[in-house]
Amino acid sequence: MFDLLGTALSSRLLLGTAQYPSPAILADAVSASGTSVVTVSLRREMAGGRAGEEFWSLIRSLGTRVLPNTAGCHSVKEAVTTAKMAREVFGTSWIKLEVIGNHDTLQPDVFGLVEAARILSEDGFSVFPYTTDDLVVAERLLEAGCKVLMPWCAPIGSALGPVNIPALRSMRAQFPGVPLIVDAGLGRPSHAATVMELGFDAVLLNTAVAKAADPVGMARAFGKAVEAGREAFCSGMLEPREVAMPSTPTIGRAVFS
Ligand SMILES: CC(=O)[C@@H](O)[C@H](O)COP(=O)(O)O
């Protein structure tokens, strides 16, 4: 079990719900992944009218916890308003806070993020901020009231995987007691395993599953990779070394003369 802010979760994989080929495939992918938390963009789905309503009932039927997000928000005001609406709609004070700062890279506006995080934390939200791997921004987010951090490993939708492993490693070392969830940019199950091996608490991803040729199979693969990475981290991995060490004992070997 994974204790996330006092909630026991059966999986360390959090899954996005956008861009699936069909609602049925989304539901099957969620089930195959083993996730117990899905994230939903209130802003995008509300724009969908009747389709939006059907989407909500599908999400409710999944039996998972919902982590609403403020995807698509580019200002503090937009993000705060969206978060408040999400609290009403989903009856949860969890919010994945996105304040996008750059149209092309979808890089977070870390200044707006800290400001919005402070406003929402003071209003009783549990804020899950989508941030960069910058340690100073991370400090500011914690000071603003965040109890969990969601650093990217690459731009949203890029599928690049962890492009700056030293930065992620140092974030993990700097905040040993803070739940850290890698969010965005994962492309392959091996990427998820890699960040879990670094000691991250969980991962959140969307595009790599939703846009796979077989989203259900890919969701299952990511679920396994997250578990494998976590188990490896907890089992004490060897440090790599540059010299050979025989893995078979040489004492008592047969002598041919
Ligand atoms: C669904 C969601 O919240 C995304 O904004 C998130 O950041 C996932 O990123 P990927 O689509 O790159 O997995």
Side-chain angles (χ1 to χ4, degrees), residues 37 63 67 69 76 94 104 128 151-152 174 195 219 228 238 243:
V37 179
L67 173 61
N69 67 57
V76 172
W94 282 17
D104 297 328
F128 292 59
W152 68 355
Q174 196 80 25
V195 298
L238 296 187
V243 291

Side-chain angles (χ1 to χ4, degrees), residues 70 73-81 97-102 107-121 127 129-132 137 140-141 144 146:
T70 64
C73 292
H74 287 254
S75 72
V76 172
K77 190 161 176 247
E78 254 187 313
V80 168
T81 307
L97 182 61
E98 287 187 22
V99 182
I100 299 300
N102 184 287
Q107 184 162 351
D109 167 359
V110 294
F111 305 100
L113 184 68
V114 171
E115 193 184 333
R118 178 166 293 109
I119 294 168
L120 292 171
S121 298
V127 178
Y130 160 65
T131 184
T132 62
V137 173
R140 296 288 182 273
L141 287 166
C146 298

Side-chain angles (χ1 to χ4, degrees), residues 15-19 39-41 44 69 71 96 98 100 106 130 154-159 183-187 204-209:
L15 205 56
T17 54
Q19 306 185 79
T39 183
V40 175
S41 161
R44 285 195 194 127
N69 67 57
K96 179 168 117 70
E98 287 187 22
I100 299 300
L106 300 180
Y130 160 65
I156 294 174
S158 68
D183 171 18
L186 294 166
L204 187 152
L205 60 106
N206 189 160
T207 311
V209 166

Side-chain angles (χ1 to χ4, degrees), residues 140-173:
R140 296 288 182 273
L141 287 166
L142 296 174
E143 283 164 16
C146 298
K147 303 280 188 286
V148 52
L149 299 172
M150 302 186 86
W152 68 355
C153 75
I156 294 174
S158 68
L160 282 170
V163 291
N164 192 347
I165 287 184
L168 290 177
R169 213 189 279 281
S170 97
M171 192 164 202
R172 181 66 285 178

Side-chain angles (χ1 to χ4, degrees), residues 173-190:
Q174 196 80 25
F175 304 105
V178 177
L180 298 180
I181 302 173
V182 170
D183 171 18
L186 294 166
R188 296 168 181 220
S190 58

